[in-house]
Amino acid sequence: MSAIVLNHSSESRQIPGNDTDQLQGGGAKLISLATGTKSLPVSALPRCNGLVLHDCHAEILALRGLNRWLLSEIECLLRDTGYQSQWLETTHSSADESTSLPPFRFRQGVEISLFSTEAPCGDASMELLMAAAEAAGQDISPWPSRAEHEGRATKNGSGLPLGRGFFSNLSALRRKPARADAELSMSKSCTDKLMLKQFTGLLSFPLDSFIQRTPETFLTRVIVYQDQFSATGYARALGPEGRLRAILAQDEGGACNTARFFEVCTLPSDYQPFEFGKQGGRQEGVRKNKASKFSALWVAGGGGLEVDATVEVLVNGVKQGFKQFDERERKGSVTCRRNMVRKEAELRRLLMERGIAAPVLESGMPCSYSDAKSSPSREHRNSVKQLVLAGLGGWPKEYLRDDFDLDISSSSIQ
């Protein structure tokens, strides 16, 4: 289980209409909460059509929930001129002004925390995996991969990133773990995705065209149980003195100079474990828990519009009750690509109605989702991401994509 929480730092200034005590280090708000351990094989991506979630690991679902909630908070600000958000403020320019800056930003001093009941999969958890396997008397020698069985190269001696096997190969970029005979997934491990967020911030497409990139858009801290923390593993995988040191040194003063590294905090040793997690299943007299094929997602409601919280149960990346590749669009999570773009189009219309300069993605031309993500306004973010990945050995070019057409000028999706 993972959760995203917002709070104001002790240095935050008072916001009109709110209690000072609530803002001085208090007033925390739970934004999203998720469970999940599944990701899609790469062969499924071309059939997703923007409606199927690729990665349902809890940490990633919780982050998608944060992005969805922020879009809803912007909607509250645009629909209700009397609403004042505790978390966002406007930086409006009139529609006839030429501007490349997004029209909103976080209030100064907002902090974002990620809590998770398990260590993130990937490089940060290698020591924990090896210790747990050895304690259980299991063999920790490298697993042969399906790619090797099929004669394809992998980075354990080939061109594909590692999965869970080859524990001793530290500092490597890794794919989401799976059984040795599972079909190939090209979703990056949670460790690697969190590592990249330290360079790009937490705002993903299309939200990043509405909120300015400031220190507040980066993750402040990650909170885990004590037995899910390896000082060596976390420092190597996520810290500036670990595997990223050479990249930062080579790029000193360059594209990576705005990176912000989060702190990792541990809960007290006697903190109650998550009842439905691995730790809860290890308690004496408690039946051992097993990983579920289901994922759950909760996203807080909108503050100004009194919108109810969203609750979804997801199976294979779509809402429970729908087939994975059903043509009905109702199967899509509120956080799927298509629904996020739809919300973006709605907000763009509201901005224009209020005479506020809307962020520019493209030059009014029909394009694909992947084209929009590669627009000039996102060039810095994309170049930094590629620089970091290249410094860690590179990530294979996506040859199968989940893409669909959209028309920025008319805000329609095809």
Side-chain angles (χ1 to χ4, degrees):
M1 181 182 72
S2 297
I4 293 289
V5 174
L6 298 185
N7 71 282
H8 295 271
S9 69
S10 57
E11 292 80 23
S12 295
R13 64 185 186 278
Q14 185 176 359
I15 299 172
N18 289 287
D19 227 60
T20 304
D21 291 339
Q22 291 182 326
L23 302 176
Q24 300 285 327
K29 179 178 178 65
L30 177 64
I31 299 298
S32 61
L33 184 145
T35 68
T37 63
K38 302 297 182 181
S39 61
L40 295 186
V42 69
S43 63
L45 300 189
R47 301 178 62 192
C48 290
N49 206 22
L51 289 166
V52 186
L53 298 179
H54 307 171
D55 185 346
C56 285
H57 278 221
E59 298 96 322
I60 309 308
L61 274 180
L63 289 173
R64 294 189 72 85
L66 167 68
N67 277 258
R68 177 66 190 203
W69 181 83
L70 287 169
L71 286 173
S72 298
E73 190 73 351
I74 291 172
E75 182 179 10
C76 291
L77 288 166
L78 291 175
R79 291 189 183 277
D80 182 358
T81 56
Y83 175 62
Q84 288 197 14
S85 171
Q86 289 194 52
W87 315 104
L88 296 177
E89 60 186 4
T90 59
T91 58
H92 293 165
S93 300
S94 63
D96 57 358
E97 287 185 57
S98 176
T99 178
S100 59
L101 289 177
F104 299 92
R105 67 185 172 207
F106 273 105
R107 292 189 181 273
Q108 186 176 358
V110 170
E111 296 180 340
I112 307 176
S113 301
L114 168 66
F115 164 71
S116 193
T117 60
E118 298 288 331
C121 64
D123 195 51
S125 58
M126 288 298 100
E127 282 83 358
L128 298 173
L129 284 173
M130 287 188 284
E134 288 180 320
Q138 298 174 1
D139 180 15
I140 62 170
S141 58
W143 298 354
S145 69
R146 178 171 178 164
E148 289 174 313
H149 288 313
E150 296 175 358
R152 297 197 302 261
T154 61
K155 279 206 174 172
N156 31 28
S158 99
L160 295 174
L162 297 164
R164 172 167 283 175
F166 293 81
F167 299 111
S168 60
N169 192 334
L170 303 177
S171 300
L173 293 171
R174 289 179 177 268
R175 295 177 283 112
K176 282 289 191 287
R179 287 177 11 181
D181 61 346
E183 189 177 353
L184 180 68
S185 166
M186 287 304 293
S187 286
K188 297 178 186 70
S189 72
C190 290
T191 292
D192 295 322
K193 288 187 175 182
L194 290 175
M195 175 270 295
L196 287 169
K197 297 295 185 185
Q198 296 179 126
F199 293 89
T200 65
L202 297 179
L203 308 183
S204 59
F205 179 79
L207 176 67
D208 55 2
S209 64
F210 288 93
I211 299 178
Q212 292 182 20
R213 188 173 184 263
T214 64
E216 287 77 15
T217 60
F218 289 77
L219 189 61
T220 304
R221 65 185 62 83
V222 171
I223 304 167
V224 294
Y225 290 107
Q226 282 193 9
D227 68 352
Q228 293 300 302
F229 176 70
S230 163
T232 300
Y234 278 67
R236 178 191 63 249
L238 299 164
E241 297 300 321
R243 59 179 179 165
L244 301 170
R245 184 175 182 178
I247 300 171
L248 294 169
Q250 293 172 3
D251 191 58
E252 188 174 0
C256 293
N257 64 348
T258 57
R260 291 186 173 269
F261 293 88
F262 53 74
E263 62 176 330
V264 181
C265 308
T266 58
L267 295 169
S269 57
D270 60 351
Y271 196 90
Q272 182 177 354
F274 176 44
E275 179 182 357
F276 302 102
K278 291 180 180 179
Q279 297 178 84
R282 288 199 291 265
Q283 295 181 88
E284 185 176 350
V286 177
R287 185 175 61 184
K288 183 178 180 181
N289 294 326
K290 295 183 179 180
S292 171
K293 68 177 182 179
F294 296 95
S295 299
L297 174 64
W298 178 92
V299 181
L305 301 178
E306 298 184 355
V307 177
D308 291 338
T310 297
V311 180
E312 294 180 341
V313 177
L314 304 166
V315 187
N316 294 324
V318 298
K319 290 189 288 190
Q320 185 182 20
F322 292 87
K323 294 180 180 179
Q324 186 177 32
F325 299 118
D326 194 316
E327 293 184 1
R328 291 177 293 177
E329 296 198 353
R330 288 187 298 134
K331 71 180 182 181
S333 165
V334 294
T335 65
C336 75
R337 291 181 170 194
R338 276 186 177 263
N339 284 331
M340 295 288 275
V341 170
R342 284 197 178 93
K343 180 60 69 174
E344 178 269 341
E346 186 178 349
L347 297 184
R348 189 177 295 275
R349 177 182 59 80
L350 290 172
L351 283 170
M352 290 189 290
E353 287 179 357
R354 290 193 54 186
I356 301 169
V360 177
L361 294 182
E362 289 292 323
S363 57
M365 297 174 60
C367 63
S368 69
Y369 180 85
S370 60
D371 289 336
K373 284 189 69 174
S374 302
S375 65
S377 62
R378 306 185 82 247
E379 183 177 356
H380 175 76
R381 174 193 174 97
N382 293 333
S383 63
V384 168
K385 182 177 177 180
Q386 293 307 314
L387 186 152
V388 175
L389 291 175
L392 294 173
W395 192 262
K397 185 177 180 180
E398 296 180 39
Y399 54 94
L400 292 175
R401 291 183 177 181
D402 173 10
D403 209 1
F404 53 94
D405 293 332
L406 62 156
D407 188 335
I408 297 297
S409 60
S410 62
S411 298
S412 65
I413 302 174
Q414 300 174 356

